[in-house]
Amino acid sequence: HVQLVESGGGLVQPGGSLRLSCVASGFPFSNYWMYWIRQAPGKGREWVSGIARDGVAIHYADSVRGRFAISRDEDRNTVYLQMNNLSPEDTAVYYCVARYGWSISTDKTGYWGQGTQVTVS
């Protein structure tokens, strides 16, 4: 069965950094775009970043561009999100998402992980 398992979240001070990981299994990882989508407490979901098959294209939300970096490791079936210069506005549950094509939708389409909590304070 499909699994997306996020890790790396935690508590960090403003200006600090975290690196999230998402290990994928149960589907052909290399055929999917991978995404990070977050949801702050009491708020709707926000699309954060996406990376194409083989990492040939990368896109970021304006709110994180220049601070976050997405990458993927095909051998490990893992996608990463390096988060730098974190702000309290980045506090959210971060979800790893797999979709067959390009999408900026926050709808729960594709495969979703359980999320990892990031708290900046």
Side-chain angles (χ1 to χ4, degrees), residues 2 10 49 57-59 73 86 97 119 121:
V2 170
S49 185
I58 291 172
H59 303 282
D73 186 327
L86 285 162
V97 181
T119 302
S121 66

Side-chain angles (χ1 to χ4, degrees), residues 11-76:
L11 177 64
V12 64
Q13 293 182 329
S17 298
L18 287 173
R19 184 177 177 86
L20 307 184
S21 299
C22 171
V23 179
S25 61
F27 67 96
F29 178 79
S30 63
N31 290 339
Y32 281 73
W33 286 70
M34 298 299 298
Y35 302 89
W36 290 96
I37 295 171
R38 67 186 182 185
Q39 186 166 26
K43 298 182 179 179
R45 290 183 292 272
E46 179 187 16
W47 186 93
V48 175
S49 185
I51 184 167
R53 302 174 180 92
D54 299 320
V56 298
I58 291 172
H59 303 282
Y60 299 100
D62 289 344
S63 58
V64 307
R65 188 176 295 110
R67 299 188 298 119
F68 290 11
I70 191 171
S71 60
R72 62 192 293 164
D73 186 327
E74 303 301 328
D75 187 57
R76 293 179 169 84

Side-chain angles (χ1 to χ4, degrees), residues 70-113:
I70 191 171
S71 60
R72 62 192 293 164
D73 186 327
E74 303 301 328
D75 187 57
R76 293 179 169 84
N77 285 2
T78 301
V79 62
Y80 304 93
L81 186 68
Q82 178 67 47
M83 306 185 295
N84 300 321
N85 301 315
L86 285 162
S87 165
E89 69 182 14
D90 297 312
T91 294
V93 176
Y94 284 71
Y95 297 95
C96 176
V97 181
R99 292 173 175 149
Y100 200 71
W102 165 248
S103 175
I104 58 170
S105 174
T106 57
D107 293 341
K108 280 205 164 184
T109 57
Y111 303 134
W112 286 63

